[in-house]
Amino acid sequence: MGSPHVDVYAVIMAGGSGTRFWPASRERAPKQFLPLGGREGEPLLASTVRRLAPIVPPERVIIATGAHLAGAVASAVPDVPRANVLCEPVARNTAPCIAWATRTIAKRAGDSALVAVFPSDHFIADEPGFLAVVDRALAAARRDYLATIGIVPTRPETGYGYIELGADIGDGARAVARFVEKPDRARAEEYVAGKRHLWNAGMFFFRAGVMEAAVKRHVPEIPRLLAEDPFDAAFAKMPSVSIDHGVMEKADRLAVVPGEFGWNDVGSWQATWELARKDAQDNALPQGSVAVDSRGNLAWDGTSSPGKKRFALVGVSDLVLVETDDAILVIPRERAQDVRAVVDELKRRGEKERL
Amino acid sequence: MGSPHVDVYAVIMAGGSGTRFWPASRERAPKQFLPLGGREGEPLLASTVRRLAPIVPPERVIIATGAHLAGAVASAVPDVPRANVLCEPVARNTAPCIAWATRTIAKRAGDSALVAVFPSDHFIADEPGFLAVVDRALAAARRDYLATIGIVPTRPETGYGYIELGADIGDGARAVARFVEKPDRARAEEYVAGKRHLWNAGMFFFRAGVMEAAVKRHVPEIPRLLAEDPFDAAFAKMPSVSIDHGVMEKADRLAVVPGEFGWNDVGSWQATWELARKDAQDNALPQGSVAVDSRGNLAWDGTSSPGKKRFALVGVSDLVLVETDDAILVIPRERAQDVRAVVDELKRRGEKERL
């Protein structure tokens, strides 16, 4: 547990874009490059790599990202060799991405190499607990399962897919009865009460050859296009399909390991507030801020000179205040998702430099 | 009405400090140097000088200010000759200030010169109406009255002094029955209902010799110290007394001219919001701002590069948001006065550069 496995490679998917952290996140600096997870100054991507280091050293970490993000990756995780950064010429969802990374690993270490796939932009509170669960999932992968981790749900969330538990297959793993689409509220409440459904957190564990066979069977155009030249033109023809829909939901011999390790997908400023260190009035503010009669606020200094600007809040509660060099956002925490409306408006105006 | 009077001098009191517009206002850039009055980009001091130009050209405008504000005055009102800027070595309230300016004018133009004294940091909506009332007050001053303008009250304000109307003395002026201290709420309501009380707006009109005689009689140490050398040391010994308490309340032959010209003393960010041009949702925001489901907000760009920063508001109402190069303030409009608490805290911390 936590000990090195010489044959384990990690694939970290760092190609995501998104608008939910505007104005701090931008097209060239999306969420995974921001220190949103509560660790002072550490981008989520860097946290993801660091957290895996006890079982996968940086030399065996493959980062899959977009070509426009290569520089940001190099800055965020300088220990990962440049040759390990796979830059997708265009974004084509997770199935082509994982297939390409798996092909790369198979060429380097053979079909039997173990591969562990992780999103780059999630937070995990209990890192030793996480590594223990990863170890169990890798054990299932060694037995030629396509394995995943299912997060034990803590609320009736309607924004995630669920995994229904099947039979016990030993080593702390269960078979997957089925993958379930995002449920409505009533069904999500049933899932939480029933204790047979886990959240799908987008983590996958497999031998390279097992995944390649499954992809070839269920989305055969992916391996065909991966073999074509020129690569960029071929990749652009990839079907935009997720590994869940394209492969996992159709594959046999699926395993899931339940996990409880303080997982958070950091979905909005609300999550950042939840994860942040807060003062006695539940404010999460930059050092040196002045708060008077104010509770439950998040202020975020995303300027290029952090600490230069003094934040002063008087008589306000449950607000999010985000400051960057060229924009400032004020929004109630409970409406944090609606920052999308601002991004839509800036797009409509053609203010590309602020997107 | 509005025609030039060759013998009229204006004294504009621009030495005020204050904290109610922090972080836009600073010790070296107090309120009168900020464009708070609704005229795009025009500091209140510049508005005050411009508004008087039809009856007092800049060459006859005397600016009384603090030594640390001389540069700010020169920038704000470049048409006023440097020799007309009186820099008080220390602030000693309005009586020494007005006495010094009056002495300066008497030396230049004789005892019979007419002097009109104005605060530098008020807003006036109806400028021709204002000039007409000034003309009436100057007419009373020509008749050797110590004259003032009384603003017809529009609400039971407890933050101002009042002037009780006396007998009609002709030319649209009334005698002053008495100056009244800031009233409590019940009394303020009586004043508004009774229609015999006006707001004291700190504007005074007199012949230089008449004011000098009154000051000599009621605060004799002021003219004595004005004659002493060295000037700075003598000025520091001045009693800190207002012209109202020190002279007007005790003097004879007082006149008041009632005025209704959209006067506003711009007492807080709330007033700035009231005076500002607003959109259909009552927001007063910098050009280019994005407001979604937001009403009644004031956003103020006090940075050194106005327009660079995009303000985005989602789902917030009746807030004041002020941005400068080194600070940002969020406060409900109705609590705008409480910005003082932030300034007090910064003082306590010794953050002089932000005061």
Side-chain angles (χ1 to χ4, degrees):
Chain A
M1 192 167 88
S3 60
H5 303 256
V6 289
D7 55 350
V8 179
Y9 281 75
V11 173
I12 298 177
M13 293 181 290
S17 62
T19 60
R20 287 180 293 179
F21 288 91
W22 187 92
S25 67
R26 297 297 171 93
E27 287 181 351
R28 288 184 177 273
K31 175 189 165 197
Q32 59 270 30
F33 299 102
L34 303 176
L36 293 163
R39 266 220 186 206
E40 192 83 28
E42 188 178 67
L44 288 168
L45 171 58
S47 301
T48 302
V49 170
R50 179 188 47 69
R51 167 197 310 140
L52 288 168
I55 55 174
V56 187
E59 309 86 66
R60 291 207 305 277
V61 170
I62 306 291
I63 311 268
T65 191
H68 62 297
L69 300 175
V73 167
S75 298
V77 286
D79 294 347
V80 174
R82 290 283 179 118
N84 288 12
V85 180
L86 305 184
C87 292
E88 299 164 356
V90 291
R92 285 292 181 264
N93 211 329
T94 52
C97 165
I98 290 172
W100 183 22
T102 302
R103 185 87 286 270
T104 304
I105 292 164
K107 279 196 276 189
R108 205 183 285 188
D111 284 352
S112 63
L114 285 169
V115 182
V117 177
F118 302 96
S120 60
D121 57 353
H122 293 171
F123 170 83
I124 285 165
D126 173 8
E127 299 191 350
F130 163 72
L131 291 178
V133 173
V134 167
D135 246 19
R136 265 174 240 138
L138 286 169
R142 276 180 214 280
R143 293 163 59 200
D144 294 334
Y145 281 94
L146 287 172
T148 184
I149 289 174
I151 308 290
V152 178
T154 53
R155 59 179 188 276
E157 174 65 51
T158 58
Y160 304 149
Y162 285 70
I163 299 167
E164 186 181 333
L165 289 168
D168 192 323
I169 58 170
D171 292 345
R174 303 278 293 263
V176 171
R178 66 186 61 81
F179 284 89
V180 185
E181 295 280 336
K182 293 176 185 175
D184 61 19
R185 175 81 189 190
R187 186 146 311 190
E189 284 172 357
E190 283 174 31
Y191 290 169
V192 174
K195 297 188 186 297
R196 288 191 308 115
H197 291 82
L198 305 173
W199 288 337
N200 180 355
M203 305 180 196
F204 305 103
F205 305 83
F206 46 80
R207 286 197 192 274
V210 171
M211 176 58 85
E212 291 208 285
V215 174
K216 187 169 181 182
R217 177 168 171 203
H218 299 295
V219 204
E221 58 271 47
I222 291 180
R224 200 183 65 231
L225 287 162
L226 277 179
E228 264 186 27
D229 277 323
F231 180 82
D232 284 9
F235 201 91
K237 291 181 210 155
M238 287 281 184
S240 188
V241 60
S242 72
I243 196 76
D244 306 77
H245 286 303
V247 179
M248 300 297 283
E249 292 174 10
K250 297 167 181 164
D252 305 319
R253 209 170 162 75
L254 297 173
V256 58
V257 177
E260 288 181 280
F261 36 71
W263 175 85
N264 189 310
D265 73 340
V266 198
S268 73
W269 287 114
Q270 169 68 18
T272 296
W273 176 80
E274 286 165 5
L275 296 174
R277 185 192 299 261
K278 293 182 274 291
D279 66 19
Q281 286 73 45
D282 275 343
N283 294 304
L285 309 175
Q287 186 112 28
S289 296
V290 179
V292 179
D293 297 342
S294 294
R295 298 189 63 86
N297 301 285
L298 170 69
W300 180 267
D301 183 346
T303 65
S304 53
S305 309
K308 189 187 162 203
K309 190 150 297 198
R310 188 63 72 243
F311 288 70
L313 285 71
V314 181
V316 292
S317 292
D318 303 319
L319 287 183
V320 173
L321 177 62
V322 184
E323 168 90 6
T324 66
D325 289 340
D326 64 356
I328 176 167
L329 169 72
V330 186
I331 190 169
R333 267 203 291 115
E334 63 174 18
R335 293 198 59 176
Q337 302 276 4
D338 295 337
V339 65
R340 190 181 306 266
V342 175
V343 176
D344 289 346
E345 172 63 15
L346 293 176
K347 271 188 189 148
R348 201 187 57 75
R349 294 185 190 173
E351 293 197 30
K352 291 192 202 306
E353 72 282 7
R354 289 197 175 80
L355 294 173
Chain B
M1 193 166 87
S3 59
H5 302 256
V6 289
D7 55 349
V8 179
Y9 282 75
V11 174
I12 298 177
M13 293 181 294
S17 62
T19 60
R20 286 180 293 178
F21 287 92
W22 187 91
S25 66
R26 298 296 170 96
E27 287 181 351
R28 287 183 178 275
K31 176 189 164 196
Q32 59 270 29
F33 299 102
L34 301 177
L36 294 163
R39 266 223 185 204
E40 193 82 28
E42 188 179 67
L44 289 167
L45 171 59
S47 301
T48 302
V49 170
R50 180 189 46 70
R51 167 197 310 141
L52 288 167
I55 56 175
V56 187
E59 309 85 66
R60 290 207 307 276
V61 170
I62 305 291
I63 311 269
T65 192
H68 63 299
L69 300 175
V73 167
S75 297
V77 287
D79 294 347
V80 174
R82 290 282 180 119
N84 287 11
V85 180
L86 305 183
C87 292
E88 299 164 357
V90 290
R92 285 293 181 264
N93 210 329
T94 52
C97 165
I98 290 172
W100 182 22
T102 302
R103 185 87 287 271
T104 303
I105 292 163
K107 280 198 275 189
R108 204 183 285 188
D111 284 351
S112 63
L114 285 169
V115 181
V117 177
F118 303 96
S120 60
D121 57 354
H122 294 171
F123 170 82
I124 285 165
D126 173 9
E127 299 190 350
F130 163 74
L131 292 177
V133 173
V134 167
D135 245 20
R136 266 175 238 136
L138 286 168
R142 274 179 216 281
R143 291 161 62 200
D144 294 334
Y145 281 94
L146 287 172
T148 184
I149 289 173
I151 308 290
V152 177
T154 53
R155 60 180 187 272
E157 174 66 50
T158 59
Y160 305 149
Y162 285 70
I163 300 166
E164 186 181 332
L165 289 168
D168 192 323
I169 58 169
D171 293 345
R174 304 278 292 264
V176 171
R178 66 185 61 82
F179 284 89
V180 185
E181 295 279 337
K182 294 174 185 176
D184 61 20
R185 175 81 189 190
R187 187 146 310 189
E189 284 173 358
E190 283 174 31
Y191 290 170
V192 173
K195 299 189 183 297
R196 288 189 309 114
H197 290 81
L198 305 174
W199 287 338
N200 179 356
M203 305 179 195
F204 305 103
F205 306 82
F206 46 80
R207 285 196 191 276
V210 171
M211 176 57 84
E212 292 208 285
V215 174
K216 186 169 182 180
R217 179 171 170 198
H218 299 295
V219 204
E221 58 271 48
I222 290 180
R224 200 183 64 232
L225 287 162
L226 276 180
E228 264 186 25
D229 278 322
F231 180 81
D232 285 7
F235 201 91
K237 292 181 209 156
M238 286 282 184
S240 187
V241 60
S242 73
I243 196 77
D244 307 77
H245 286 304
V247 180
M248 299 297 284
E249 292 174 10
K250 298 165 181 165
D252 305 320
R253 208 170 163 77
L254 296 173
V256 58
V257 178
E260 289 181 279
F261 36 71
W263 175 85
N264 189 308
D265 72 341
V266 199
S268 73
W269 287 115
Q270 169 68 19
T272 296
W273 175 80
E274 286 165 5
L275 296 173
R277 182 191 300 259
K278 292 182 276 290
D279 67 19
Q281 285 73 44
D282 276 342
N283 294 303
L285 308 176
Q287 186 112 29
S289 297
V290 179
V292 179
D293 297 342
S294 295
R295 297 189 64 86
N297 301 285
L298 169 68
W300 181 268
D301 184 347
T303 65
S304 53
S305 309
K308 187 186 165 204
K309 190 150 298 199
R310 188 65 70 242
F311 289 71
L313 286 71
V314 181
V316 293
S317 292
D318 303 319
L319 287 184
V320 173
L321 177 62
V322 184
E323 167 91 6
T324 67
D325 289 339
D326 64 356
I328 176 165
L329 168 72
V330 185
I331 190 169
R333 267 202 292 117
E334 64 175 16
R335 293 197 59 175
Q337 304 275 3
D338 295 336
V339 65
R340 189 180 309 264
V342 176
V343 176
D344 289 347
E345 172 63 15
L346 293 176
K347 272 189 189 147
R348 201 187 58 73
R349 294 184 190 174
E351 292 196 29
K352 291 191 202 305
E353 73 282 7
R354 289 198 174 80
L355 295 172

